[in-house]
Amino acid sequence: MQSSLKKSLYLGLAALSFVSVAAVSTNASAKSYAKAGAYTTLKAAATDRNVEATGTNALYTKPGTVKGAKIVASKKVMGELATSKKSANYFRAYGQKVTNRGSVYYRVVTMDGKYRGYVYGGKTEGTFAAGVKSAKTTTDQTKPTQTTGYYLKNTAKNTLWTAPKYTQYKAKKVSLYNASASDTFTVDQAATKTREGSLYYHVTDDNDNSISGWIYAGKGYDATITDNSKQDLGGLSLSQSDQAATVNNSVTVNYVDSATKKSVGTATWITSAKNTKQNDQVGATTTNAAGTTLDNFAKAKANVPANYQVDTSSTAVTTPAVAGDSLYGGTYTVPVTQTATSKLTLKVQTVTDPDTLSLDPAPAADFKGAAIGDILNKTNAVIPALSNDDLTGATSAVMNDTTAFTSLFADKGTLATIQGTKTYTDSAKNTYHYEYDADTNATPTLNAGTKFGQTYTVAYTAKLVAGPATASNTNSNTNTDYLG
């Protein structure tokens, strides 16, 4: 009986111990979670609620100490967002919850909307601390020296925004519906994106002040640059010919290689006319701000590599562009052909004067039949420039055009005699210099099948002439562009 009593007491105590432990465990578990109060919306101005992560706290689906909170962005990720160089990784704070322990958790979202959740913000409501801190997403800059006369250049690439992109939550593009392509804008503010450092101007339409916004300004206006066409202004320009292209005022010129059928460049023609709209036919005499019709603009080969020429044999070029395929907002295709440039090689073929004068320095070594570009350079001869530079033709074309070939040698008179720049002295102190005479009596002929891009040789005879090489007997032009 005594044994049974001991056994009963033992079991009773064990059961009591289990219940006690369970109770302690339950109480501990209950106390490990905080309770969050009601959600409240932050009332401060939106710009005062821009914050950035500090990296000390993670981002959660609900206040982090509340039961069921899950991680949206770990401390590591928040640390990366804290040191990011992108404005998209700033946060906007818009709500809060306060736990029964006095901890403030802010509801935040990144400027690009990628991360959204609650982050611990310290113990004081209205103060950003702990996991976030206040952020100044833009930095004020001095307005440019010139504030007026700006045009929107290419709104498809850079247009007006309510704020520089990602520096404010849900910054958006400004409607330009009522703006004219010829409208000028005035700069009234300047700022850089704090993280990226890129410059933006705030501009207002001079004809409609309801149209205003921020636009990327490149390096910004530089007062030391006198040629406004060379100003780096991003989406702005100080030239009306550089105004914004829209489907209502422009035509895209597409240059297509006739052989490969691939585009080699495009250009945008923008009308100076008002009240045009998409799918209107371009008028035959309608011009851009520079006074150029679409047809002539296309033939001018803007934005095409130098080694291409407009294929003038194509009806797309010989027939005016307004024949039906050039509508505002459309594309005008112009065929082009790859080209090559022919060059002249000036070669000393013979030397008429034997080396019997014991000249100093000895000239004999100067004449070995090599191309003049190798031995008669600016050091010892003055190479004249050719006035006619029309030596370019289609790469695949045979150079059998008599006119084109004649023009190649149109400077025969200029090339007839080339003056040397070296002075030679004999033992009696007499001075001499060389003159190089071309054979101007013979007309050079083309080999059958010769094409553009090949080199043509002009033979010269070097003769010794009394007198020093001075400015009076040397050519003044030292252009050597046409040397082979």
PDB file of all heavy atoms in Angstrom, residues 336-373:
ATOM      1  N   VAL A 336      20.417  53.892-101.024  1.00  0.00           N
ATOM      2  CA  VAL A 336      21.776  54.418-101.086  1.00  0.00           C
ATOM      3  C   VAL A 336      22.720  53.313-101.535  1.00  0.00           C
ATOM      4  O   VAL A 336      22.408  52.128-101.434  1.00  0.00           O
ATOM      5  CB  VAL A 336      22.240  54.977 -99.720  1.00  0.00           C
ATOM      6  CG1 VAL A 336      21.462  56.211 -99.342  1.00  0.00           C
ATOM      7  CG2 VAL A 336      22.113  53.909 -98.635  1.00  0.00           C
ATOM      8  N   THR A 337      23.865  53.712-102.059  1.00  0.00           N
ATOM      9  CA  THR A 337      24.860  52.770-102.572  1.00  0.00           C
ATOM     10  C   THR A 337      26.192  53.023-101.889  1.00  0.00           C
ATOM     11  O   THR A 337      26.596  54.172-101.707  1.00  0.00           O
ATOM     12  CB  THR A 337      25.033  52.935-104.092  1.00  0.00           C
ATOM     13  OG1 THR A 337      23.759  52.828-104.719  1.00  0.00           O
ATOM     14  CG2 THR A 337      25.960  51.868-104.649  1.00  0.00           C
ATOM     15  N   GLN A 338      26.879  51.947-101.518  1.00  0.00           N
ATOM     16  CA  GLN A 338      28.186  52.097-100.886  1.00  0.00           C
ATOM     17  C   GLN A 338      29.183  52.622-101.904  1.00  0.00           C
ATOM     18  O   GLN A 338      29.147  52.264-103.081  1.00  0.00           O
ATOM     19  CB  GLN A 338      28.666  50.768-100.324  1.00  0.00           C
ATOM     20  CG  GLN A 338      29.850  50.904 -99.377  1.00  0.00           C
ATOM     21  CD  GLN A 338      30.097  49.640 -98.576  1.00  0.00           C
ATOM     22  OE1 GLN A 338      29.486  48.617 -98.823  1.00  0.00           O
ATOM     23  NE2 GLN A 338      30.989  49.726 -97.609  1.00  0.00           N
ATOM     24  N   THR A 339      30.061  53.506-101.453  1.00  0.00           N
ATOM     25  CA  THR A 339      31.002  54.160-102.359  1.00  0.00           C
ATOM     26  C   THR A 339      32.448  53.953-101.938  1.00  0.00           C
ATOM     27  O   THR A 339      32.737  53.495-100.831  1.00  0.00           O
ATOM     28  CB  THR A 339      30.734  55.678-102.408  1.00  0.00           C
ATOM     29  OG1 THR A 339      30.944  56.216-101.102  1.00  0.00           O
ATOM     30  CG2 THR A 339      29.319  55.968-102.865  1.00  0.00           C
ATOM     31  N   ALA A 340      33.339  54.311-102.842  1.00  0.00           N
ATOM     32  CA  ALA A 340      34.776  54.295-102.556  1.00  0.00           C
ATOM     33  C   ALA A 340      35.387  55.512-103.226  1.00  0.00           C
ATOM     34  O   ALA A 340      34.839  56.042-104.195  1.00  0.00           O
ATOM     35  CB  ALA A 340      35.418  53.015-103.076  1.00  0.00           C
ATOM     36  N   THR A 341      36.512  55.974-102.733  1.00  0.00           N
ATOM     37  CA  THR A 341      37.172  57.154-103.274  1.00  0.00           C
ATOM     38  C   THR A 341      38.487  56.770-103.932  1.00  0.00           C
ATOM     39  O   THR A 341      39.298  56.051-103.354  1.00  0.00           O
ATOM     40  CB  THR A 341      37.445  58.186-102.158  1.00  0.00           C
ATOM     41  OG1 THR A 341      36.201  58.570-101.572  1.00  0.00           O
ATOM     42  CG2 THR A 341      38.141  59.414-102.709  1.00  0.00           C
ATOM     43  N   SER A 342      38.668  57.249-105.166  1.00  0.00           N
ATOM     44  CA  SER A 342      39.915  56.998-105.888  1.00  0.00           C
ATOM     45  C   SER A 342      40.953  58.032-105.480  1.00  0.00           C
ATOM     46  O   SER A 342      40.633  59.186-105.210  1.00  0.00           O
ATOM     47  CB  SER A 342      39.667  57.056-107.387  1.00  0.00           C
ATOM     48  OG  SER A 342      38.772  56.046-107.779  1.00  0.00           O
ATOM     49  N   LYS A 343      42.217  57.607-105.456  1.00  0.00           N
ATOM     50  CA  LYS A 343      43.300  58.500-105.046  1.00  0.00           C
ATOM     51  C   LYS A 343      44.392  58.542-106.110  1.00  0.00           C
ATOM     52  O   LYS A 343      44.512  57.649-106.933  1.00  0.00           O
ATOM     53  CB  LYS A 343      43.903  58.037-103.721  1.00  0.00           C
ATOM     54  CG  LYS A 343      42.955  58.112-102.552  1.00  0.00           C
ATOM     55  CD  LYS A 343      43.664  57.708-101.257  1.00  0.00           C
ATOM     56  CE  LYS A 343      42.720  57.822-100.080  1.00  0.00           C
ATOM     57  NZ  LYS A 343      43.402  57.483 -98.808  1.00  0.00           N
ATOM     58  N   LEU A 344      45.178  59.601-106.058  1.00  0.00           N
ATOM     59  CA  LEU A 344      46.335  59.736-106.924  1.00  0.00           C
ATOM     60  C   LEU A 344      47.595  59.413-106.141  1.00  0.00           C
ATOM     61  O   LEU A 344      47.761  59.851-105.007  1.00  0.00           O
ATOM     62  CB  LEU A 344      46.454  61.164-107.457  1.00  0.00           C
ATOM     63  CG  LEU A 344      45.353  61.655-108.397  1.00  0.00           C
ATOM     64  CD1 LEU A 344      45.636  63.089-108.782  1.00  0.00           C
ATOM     65  CD2 LEU A 344      45.259  60.776-109.623  1.00  0.00           C
ATOM     66  N   THR A 345      48.470  58.633-106.749  1.00  0.00           N
ATOM     67  CA  THR A 345      49.793  58.419-106.189  1.00  0.00           C
ATOM     68  C   THR A 345      50.784  59.143-107.094  1.00  0.00           C
ATOM     69  O   THR A 345      50.838  58.885-108.290  1.00  0.00           O
ATOM     70  CB  THR A 345      50.152  56.930-106.138  1.00  0.00           C
ATOM     71  OG1 THR A 345      49.296  56.294-105.199  1.00  0.00           O
ATOM     72  CG2 THR A 345      51.591  56.732-105.673  1.00  0.00           C
ATOM     73  N   LEU A 346      51.555  60.059-106.531  1.00  0.00           N
ATOM     74  CA  LEU A 346      52.529  60.834-107.297  1.00  0.00           C
ATOM     75  C   LEU A 346      53.891  60.168-107.136  1.00  0.00           C
ATOM     76  O   LEU A 346      54.431  60.103-106.043  1.00  0.00           O
ATOM     77  CB  LEU A 346      52.556  62.279-106.785  1.00  0.00           C
ATOM     78  CG  LEU A 346      51.181  62.949-106.618  1.00  0.00           C
ATOM     79  CD1 LEU A 346      51.340  64.389-106.147  1.00  0.00           C
ATOM     80  CD2 LEU A 346      50.374  62.887-107.897  1.00  0.00           C
ATOM     81  N   LYS A 347      54.416  59.666-108.240  1.00  0.00           N
ATOM     82  CA  LYS A 347      55.638  58.867-108.164  1.00  0.00           C
ATOM     83  C   LYS A 347      56.755  59.477-109.023  1.00  0.00           C
ATOM     84  O   LYS A 347      56.545  59.823-110.180  1.00  0.00           O
ATOM     85  CB  LYS A 347      55.366  57.432-108.634  1.00  0.00           C
ATOM     86  CG  LYS A 347      56.584  56.519-108.600  1.00  0.00           C
ATOM     87  CD  LYS A 347      56.243  55.117-109.068  1.00  0.00           C
ATOM     88  CE  LYS A 347      55.388  54.401-108.047  1.00  0.00           C
ATOM     89  NZ  LYS A 347      55.201  52.968-108.395  1.00  0.00           N
ATOM     90  N   VAL A 348      57.920  59.598-108.416  1.00  0.00           N
ATOM     91  CA  VAL A 348      59.084  60.049-109.168  1.00  0.00           C
ATOM     92  C   VAL A 348      59.576  58.875-110.018  1.00  0.00           C
ATOM     93  O   VAL A 348      59.975  57.845-109.492  1.00  0.00           O
ATOM     94  CB  VAL A 348      60.203  60.533-108.237  1.00  0.00           C
ATOM     95  CG1 VAL A 348      61.454  60.872-109.045  1.00  0.00           C
ATOM     96  CG2 VAL A 348      59.733  61.742-107.448  1.00  0.00           C
ATOM     97  N   GLN A 349      59.525  59.074-111.336  1.00  0.00           N
ATOM     98  CA  GLN A 349      59.896  57.998-112.242  1.00  0.00           C
ATOM     99  C   GLN A 349      61.354  58.082-112.683  1.00  0.00           C
ATOM    100  O   GLN A 349      62.055  57.072-112.759  1.00  0.00           O
ATOM    101  CB  GLN A 349      58.983  58.014-113.469  1.00  0.00           C
ATOM    102  CG  GLN A 349      59.226  56.890-114.447  1.00  0.00           C
ATOM    103  CD  GLN A 349      58.110  56.822-115.467  1.00  0.00           C
ATOM    104  OE1 GLN A 349      57.020  56.365-115.172  1.00  0.00           O
ATOM    105  NE2 GLN A 349      58.395  57.311-116.666  1.00  0.00           N
ATOM    106  N   THR A 350      61.826  59.315-112.945  1.00  0.00           N
ATOM    107  CA  THR A 350      63.213  59.500-113.389  1.00  0.00           C
ATOM    108  C   THR A 350      63.796  60.745-112.764  1.00  0.00           C
ATOM    109  O   THR A 350      63.076  61.650-112.335  1.00  0.00           O
ATOM    110  CB  THR A 350      63.301  59.638-114.922  1.00  0.00           C
ATOM    111  OG1 THR A 350      62.502  60.766-115.331  1.00  0.00           O
ATOM    112  CG2 THR A 350      62.825  58.376-115.617  1.00  0.00           C
ATOM    113  N   VAL A 351      65.134  60.783-112.711  1.00  0.00           N
ATOM    114  CA  VAL A 351      65.860  61.960-112.264  1.00  0.00           C
ATOM    115  C   VAL A 351      66.767  62.381-113.398  1.00  0.00           C
ATOM    116  O   VAL A 351      67.621  61.612-113.841  1.00  0.00           O
ATOM    117  CB  VAL A 351      66.689  61.653-110.993  1.00  0.00           C
ATOM    118  CG1 VAL A 351      67.410  62.899-110.517  1.00  0.00           C
ATOM    119  CG2 VAL A 351      65.790  61.115-109.890  1.00  0.00           C
ATOM    120  N   THR A 352      66.581  63.596-113.922  1.00  0.00           N
ATOM    121  CA  THR A 352      67.316  64.008-115.121  1.00  0.00           C
ATOM    122  C   THR A 352      68.733  64.441-114.838  1.00  0.00           C
ATOM    123  O   THR A 352      69.596  64.388-115.707  1.00  0.00           O
ATOM    124  CB  THR A 352      66.582  65.157-115.825  1.00  0.00           C
ATOM    125  OG1 THR A 352      66.497  66.266-114.921  1.00  0.00           O
ATOM    126  CG2 THR A 352      65.179  64.731-116.229  1.00  0.00           C
ATOM    127  N   ASP A 353      69.012  64.871-113.639  1.00  0.00           N
ATOM    128  CA  ASP A 353      70.341  65.410-113.355  1.00  0.00           C
ATOM    129  C   ASP A 353      71.208  64.363-112.665  1.00  0.00           C
ATOM    130  O   ASP A 353      70.867  63.910-111.573  1.00  0.00           O
ATOM    131  CB  ASP A 353      70.226  66.637-112.456  1.00  0.00           C
ATOM    132  CG  ASP A 353      69.380  67.706-113.120  1.00  0.00           C
ATOM    133  OD1 ASP A 353      69.879  68.403-113.989  1.00  0.00           O
ATOM    134  OD2 ASP A 353      68.181  67.794-112.743  1.00  0.00           O
ATOM    135  N   PRO A 354      72.297  63.978-113.273  1.00  0.00           N
ATOM    136  CA  PRO A 354      73.183  63.007-112.625  1.00  0.00           C
ATOM    137  C   PRO A 354      73.809  63.621-111.384  1.00  0.00           C
ATOM    138  O   PRO A 354      73.955  64.833-111.279  1.00  0.00           O
ATOM    139  CB  PRO A 354      74.228  62.695-113.695  1.00  0.00           C
ATOM    140  CG  PRO A 354      74.258  63.932-114.543  1.00  0.00           C
ATOM    141  CD  PRO A 354      72.847  64.440-114.590  1.00  0.00           C
ATOM    142  N   ASP A 355      74.157  62.782-110.459  1.00  0.00           N
ATOM    143  CA  ASP A 355      74.725  63.261-109.206  1.00  0.00           C
ATOM    144  C   ASP A 355      76.221  63.536-109.411  1.00  0.00           C
ATOM    145  O   ASP A 355      77.080  62.771-108.994  1.00  0.00           O
ATOM    146  CB  ASP A 355      74.507  62.220-108.115  1.00  0.00           C
ATOM    147  CG  ASP A 355      74.944  62.744-106.751  1.00  0.00           C
ATOM    148  OD1 ASP A 355      75.090  63.967-106.626  1.00  0.00           O
ATOM    149  OD2 ASP A 355      75.109  61.918-105.845  1.00  0.00           O
ATOM    150  N   THR A 356      76.513  64.681-110.081  1.00  0.00           N
ATOM    151  CA  THR A 356      77.920  65.020-110.378  1.00  0.00           C
ATOM    152  C   THR A 356      78.344  66.320-109.717  1.00  0.00           C
ATOM    153  O   THR A 356      79.463  66.771-109.913  1.00  0.00           O
ATOM    154  CB  THR A 356      78.113  65.158-111.895  1.00  0.00           C
ATOM    155  OG1 THR A 356      77.223  66.183-112.378  1.00  0.00           O
ATOM    156  CG2 THR A 356      77.820  63.848-112.596  1.00  0.00           C
ATOM    157  N   LEU A 357      77.447  66.915-108.959  1.00  0.00           N
ATOM    158  CA  LEU A 357      77.757  68.222-108.396  1.00  0.00           C
ATOM    159  C   LEU A 357      78.238  68.152-106.954  1.00  0.00           C
ATOM    160  O   LEU A 357      78.475  69.186-106.335  1.00  0.00           O
ATOM    161  CB  LEU A 357      76.527  69.131-108.471  1.00  0.00           C
ATOM    162  CG  LEU A 357      76.028  69.434-109.894  1.00  0.00           C
ATOM    163  CD1 LEU A 357      74.757  70.266-109.829  1.00  0.00           C
ATOM    164  CD2 LEU A 357      77.097  70.176-110.683  1.00  0.00           C
ATOM    165  N   SER A 358      78.367  66.964-106.430  1.00  0.00           N
ATOM    166  CA  SER A 358      78.783  66.794-105.029  1.00  0.00           C
ATOM    167  C   SER A 358      77.925  67.651-104.097  1.00  0.00           C
ATOM    168  O   SER A 358      78.416  68.430-103.278  1.00  0.00           O
ATOM    169  CB  SER A 358      80.269  67.173-104.860  1.00  0.00           C
ATOM    170  OG  SER A 358      81.073  66.343-105.652  1.00  0.00           O
ATOM    171  N   LEU A 359      76.623  67.515-104.286  1.00  0.00           N
ATOM    172  CA  LEU A 359      75.709  68.335-103.482  1.00  0.00           C
ATOM    173  C   LEU A 359      75.676  67.865-102.031  1.00  0.00           C
ATOM    174  O   LEU A 359      75.908  66.708-101.733  1.00  0.00           O
ATOM    175  CB  LEU A 359      74.301  68.277-104.076  1.00  0.00           C
ATOM    176  CG  LEU A 359      74.158  68.790-105.516  1.00  0.00           C
ATOM    177  CD1 LEU A 359      72.705  68.712-105.948  1.00  0.00           C
ATOM    178  CD2 LEU A 359      74.676  70.215-105.645  1.00  0.00           C
ATOM    179  N   ASP A 360      75.383  68.807-101.154  1.00  0.00           N
ATOM    180  CA  ASP A 360      75.284  68.512 -99.733  1.00  0.00           C
ATOM    181  C   ASP A 360      73.937  69.035 -99.226  1.00  0.00           C
ATOM    182  O   ASP A 360      73.691  70.250 -99.305  1.00  0.00           O
ATOM    183  CB  ASP A 360      76.429  69.194 -98.984  1.00  0.00           C
ATOM    184  CG  ASP A 360      76.400  68.856 -97.496  1.00  0.00           C
ATOM    185  OD1 ASP A 360      75.820  67.803 -97.155  1.00  0.00           O
ATOM    186  OD2 ASP A 360      76.930  69.646 -96.704  1.00  0.00           O
ATOM    187  N   PRO A 361      73.039  68.193 -98.749  1.00  0.00           N
ATOM    188  CA  PRO A 361      73.205  66.730 -98.665  1.00  0.00           C
ATOM    189  C   PRO A 361      73.059  66.082-100.036  1.00  0.00           C
ATOM    190  O   PRO A 361      72.462  66.660-100.941  1.00  0.00           O
ATOM    191  CB  PRO A 361      72.060  66.326 -97.740  1.00  0.00           C
ATOM    192  CG  PRO A 361      71.006  67.359 -97.985  1.00  0.00           C
ATOM    193  CD  PRO A 361      71.742  68.648 -98.191  1.00  0.00           C
ATOM    194  N   ALA A 362      73.595  64.906-100.189  1.00  0.00           N
ATOM    195  CA  ALA A 362      73.541  64.201-101.468  1.00  0.00           C
ATOM    196  C   ALA A 362      72.099  63.829-101.774  1.00  0.00           C
ATOM    197  O   ALA A 362      71.457  63.157-100.976  1.00  0.00           O
ATOM    198  CB  ALA A 362      74.416  62.960-101.425  1.00  0.00           C
ATOM    199  N   PRO A 363      71.540  64.243-102.910  1.00  0.00           N
ATOM    200  CA  PRO A 363      70.131  64.001-103.209  1.00  0.00           C
ATOM    201  C   PRO A 363      69.835  62.631-103.811  1.00  0.00           C
ATOM    202  O   PRO A 363      68.691  62.236-103.898  1.00  0.00           O
ATOM    203  CB  PRO A 363      69.808  65.094-104.214  1.00  0.00           C
ATOM    204  CG  PRO A 363      71.092  65.297-104.946  1.00  0.00           C
ATOM    205  CD  PRO A 363      72.174  65.095-103.929  1.00  0.00           C
ATOM    206  N   ALA A 364      70.860  61.945-104.276  1.00  0.00           N
ATOM    207  CA  ALA A 364      70.609  60.722-105.023  1.00  0.00           C
ATOM    208  C   ALA A 364      69.722  59.740-104.255  1.00  0.00           C
ATOM    209  O   ALA A 364      68.854  59.073-104.816  1.00  0.00           O
ATOM    210  CB  ALA A 364      71.923  60.058-105.399  1.00  0.00           C
ATOM    211  N   ALA A 365      69.937  59.652-102.950  1.00  0.00           N
ATOM    212  CA  ALA A 365      69.199  58.685-102.151  1.00  0.00           C
ATOM    213  C   ALA A 365      67.716  59.043-102.045  1.00  0.00           C
ATOM    214  O   ALA A 365      66.899  58.228-101.632  1.00  0.00           O
ATOM    215  CB  ALA A 365      69.798  58.601-100.761  1.00  0.00           C
ATOM    216  N   ASP A 366      67.373  60.300-102.435  1.00  0.00           N
ATOM    217  CA  ASP A 366      65.979  60.721-102.344  1.00  0.00           C
ATOM    218  C   ASP A 366      65.115  60.140-103.455  1.00  0.00           C
ATOM    219  O   ASP A 366      63.897  60.232-103.399  1.00  0.00           O
ATOM    220  CB  ASP A 366      65.869  62.249-102.408  1.00  0.00           C
ATOM    221  CG  ASP A 366      66.391  62.900-101.137  1.00  0.00           C
ATOM    222  OD1 ASP A 366      66.555  62.168-100.139  1.00  0.00           O
ATOM    223  OD2 ASP A 366      66.616  64.117-101.155  1.00  0.00           O
ATOM    224  N   PHE A 367      65.711  59.579-104.499  1.00  0.00           N
ATOM    225  CA  PHE A 367      64.943  59.156-105.659  1.00  0.00           C
ATOM    226  C   PHE A 367      65.171  57.683-105.949  1.00  0.00           C
ATOM    227  O   PHE A 367      66.170  57.306-106.537  1.00  0.00           O
ATOM    228  CB  PHE A 367      65.320  60.016-106.871  1.00  0.00           C
ATOM    229  CG  PHE A 367      65.237  61.479-106.560  1.00  0.00           C
ATOM    230  CD1 PHE A 367      66.374  62.221-106.372  1.00  0.00           C
ATOM    231  CD2 PHE A 367      64.008  62.093-106.399  1.00  0.00           C
ATOM    232  CE1 PHE A 367      66.312  63.562-106.046  1.00  0.00           C
ATOM    233  CE2 PHE A 367      63.931  63.436-106.071  1.00  0.00           C
ATOM    234  CZ  PHE A 367      65.077  64.177-105.895  1.00  0.00           C
ATOM    235  N   LYS A 368      64.260  56.880-105.531  1.00  0.00           N
ATOM    236  CA  LYS A 368      64.362  55.444-105.736  1.00  0.00           C
ATOM    237  C   LYS A 368      63.121  54.890-106.420  1.00  0.00           C
ATOM    238  O   LYS A 368      62.858  53.715-106.389  1.00  0.00           O
ATOM    239  CB  LYS A 368      64.558  54.728-104.396  1.00  0.00           C
ATOM    240  CG  LYS A 368      65.822  55.162-103.653  1.00  0.00           C
ATOM    241  CD  LYS A 368      67.081  54.813-104.423  1.00  0.00           C
ATOM    242  CE  LYS A 368      68.331  55.195-103.644  1.00  0.00           C
ATOM    243  NZ  LYS A 368      69.571  54.938-104.395  1.00  0.00           N
ATOM    244  N   GLY A 369      62.315  55.801-107.028  1.00  0.00           N
ATOM    245  CA  GLY A 369      61.118  55.352-107.716  1.00  0.00           C
ATOM    246  C   GLY A 369      59.969  55.039-106.775  1.00  0.00           C
ATOM    247  O   GLY A 369      58.968  54.448-107.188  1.00  0.00           O
ATOM    248  N   ALA A 370      60.105  55.402-105.498  1.00  0.00           N
ATOM    249  CA  ALA A 370      59.034  55.132-104.554  1.00  0.00           C
ATOM    250  C   ALA A 370      57.928  56.166-104.699  1.00  0.00           C
ATOM    251  O   ALA A 370      58.112  57.202-105.334  1.00  0.00           O
ATOM    252  CB  ALA A 370      59.578  55.148-103.133  1.00  0.00           C
ATOM    253  N   ALA A 371      56.751  55.884-104.108  1.00  0.00           N
ATOM    254  CA  ALA A 371      55.646  56.836-104.164  1.00  0.00           C
ATOM    255  C   ALA A 371      56.056  58.115-103.479  1.00  0.00           C
ATOM    256  O   ALA A 371      56.760  58.102-102.472  1.00  0.00           O
ATOM    257  CB  ALA A 371      54.421  56.248-103.475  1.00  0.00           C
ATOM    258  N   ILE A 372      55.592  59.214-104.034  1.00  0.00           N
ATOM    259  CA  ILE A 372      55.991  60.507-103.486  1.00  0.00           C
ATOM    260  C   ILE A 372      55.523  60.655-102.038  1.00  0.00           C
ATOM    261  O   ILE A 372      56.115  61.389-101.258  1.00  0.00           O
ATOM    262  CB  ILE A 372      55.458  61.659-104.361  1.00  0.00           C
ATOM    263  CG1 ILE A 372      56.248  62.938-104.062  1.00  0.00           C
ATOM    264  CG2 ILE A 372      53.977  61.875-104.163  1.00  0.00           C
ATOM    265  CD1 ILE A 372      55.963  64.045-105.047  1.00  0.00           C
ATOM    266  N   GLY A 373      54.458  59.967-101.687  1.00  0.00           N
ATOM    267  CA  GLY A 373      53.997  60.027-100.308  1.00  0.00           C
ATOM    268  C   GLY A 373      55.006  59.456 -99.341  1.00  0.00           C
ATOM    269  O   GLY A 373      55.012  59.775 -98.160  1.00  0.00           O
TER     270      GLY A 373
END
